[in-house]
């Protein structure tokens, strides 16, 4: 089945993902689909949770709308080893489309991960790169940018979030989403396969 971006408050967005133990052809294909989906939605980053996959993996392409294939980056089992400074900047998320708010994060981070070739890579990220790495890595721990807002920020997104919650319940009631037990079983099966 083709991957799709899931929206808040889908439970997989709250799933803390386990590290990947193997990369197989099917996973490589799914990562390719993640880039396609991200570009379709004009995003710069997409985490595995956002396509309903329970893996510690995210993709970035900081060229955004330019969709420069040279700038595709895959982060497998990423870890932030160093944080420096603070910076407050506007963020949005493909799983909460249309909602934008200011988030305070580290200004610079050092991140180590594996790439698709299984090589360990380390980046010292600044600016947009640092912001994207922190936002996407949060996803892997089940954390969303709306969790990191100031009290004022939380208040200003409250109504939009309520609309997402109501839409989700409607979809669930209309049978457009699998039941909770089926969702949990699917996640457990995917974890068993690769983590
Ligand atoms: Co996001």
């Amino acid at each position: 089945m083709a991957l799709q971006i899931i929206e808040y408050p889908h439970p997989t967005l709250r799933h803390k993902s386990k590290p990947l133990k193997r990369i197989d052809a099917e996973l490589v294909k799914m990562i390719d689909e993640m880039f396609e989906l991200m570009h379709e939605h004009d995003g710069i980053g997409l985490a595995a949770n956002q396509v309903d996959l329970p893996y510690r993996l995210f993709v970035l392409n900081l060229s955004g709308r330019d969709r420069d294939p040279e700038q595709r980056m895959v982060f497998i089992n990423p870890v932030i080893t160093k944080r420096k400074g603070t910076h407050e900047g506007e963020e949005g998320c493909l799983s909460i489309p249309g909602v934008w708010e200011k988030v305070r994060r580290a200004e610079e981070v050092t991140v180590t991960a594996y790439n698709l070739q299984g090589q360990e890579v380390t980046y010292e990220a600044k600016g947009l790169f640092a912001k994207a790495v922190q936002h996407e890595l949060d996803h892997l721990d089940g954390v969303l940018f709306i969790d990191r807002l100031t009290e004022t920020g939380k208040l200003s997104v409250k109504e939009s979030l309520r609309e997402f919650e109501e839409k989700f319940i409607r979809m669930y009631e209309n049978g457009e989403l699998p039941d909770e037990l089926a969702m949990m079983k699917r996640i457990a099966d995917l974890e068993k396969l690769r983590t």
Side-chain angles (χ1 to χ4, degrees):
M1 215 187 100
L3 297 180
Q4 277 185 334
I5 295 179
I6 55 171
E7 292 186 355
Y8 172 86
H10 192 293
T12 302
L13 294 172
R14 293 304 187 185
H15 185 82
K16 190 170 160 58
S17 301
K18 298 200 178 86
L20 271 163
K21 287 209 180 104
R22 58 191 213 102
I23 302 166
D24 49 51
E26 199 193 353
L27 187 70
V28 172
K29 201 174 144 266
M30 291 194 284
I31 291 169
D32 215 55
E33 271 183 67
M34 284 174 69
F35 278 111
E36 295 307 322
L37 275 173
M38 183 179 81
H39 287 316
E40 262 173 45
H41 293 85
D42 282 330
I44 59 162
L46 189 66
N49 310 45
Q50 295 182 272
V51 290
D52 209 3
L53 294 174
Y55 302 137
R56 292 194 85 76
L57 149 77
F58 65 81
V59 300
L60 292 186
N61 189 328
L62 300 176
S63 76
R65 282 166 206 265
D66 288 345
R67 305 173 186 192
D68 177 3
E70 297 285 313
Q71 290 195 52
R72 285 186 174 197
M73 299 172 96
V74 180
F75 293 77
I76 294 165
N77 302 341
V79 180
I80 290 177
T81 56
K82 217 192 276 175
R83 293 165 194 273
K84 211 174 115 188
T86 55
H87 177 79
E88 193 178 63
E90 189 109 312
E91 292 188 23
C93 181
L94 294 184
S95 292
I96 322 172
V99 175
W100 293 84
E101 261 304 321
K102 278 183 190 158
V103 183
R104 186 181 292 268
R105 298 199 184 265
E107 192 172 21
E108 296 177 30
V109 294
T110 305
V111 59
T112 298
Y114 291 91
N115 64 17
L116 253 191
Q117 289 71 45
Q119 297 155 327
E120 197 180 61
V121 285
T122 297
Y123 299 97
E124 286 180 17
K126 292 176 190 169
L128 183 63
F129 189 10
K131 177 157 98 170
V133 163
Q134 293 172 87
H135 177 112
E136 300 311 330
L137 218 150
D138 263 356
H139 272 301
L140 309 184
D141 291 321
V143 175
L144 300 171
F145 84 97
I146 49 170
D147 304 334
R148 297 199 181 277
L149 304 183
T150 59
E151 289 309 312
T152 326
K154 279 185 181 154
L155 216 58
S156 68
V157 301
K158 204 172 166 187
E159 196 45 47
S160 309
L161 295 186
R162 204 202 311 271
E163 282 167 25
F164 277 101
E165 286 156 14
E166 284 167 1
K167 181 181 165 196
F168 188 79
I169 291 168
R170 272 200 306 278
M171 284 174 75
Y172 193 79
E173 285 173 349
N174 294 343
E176 292 165 55
L177 293 165
D179 69 67
E180 221 170 322
L181 215 61
M183 278 193 205
M184 282 165 66
K185 188 182 179 314
R186 188 183 153 274
I187 292 294
D189 288 346
L190 285 167
E191 280 183 336
K192 212 180 294 170
L193 196 60
R194 297 191 183 88
T195 70

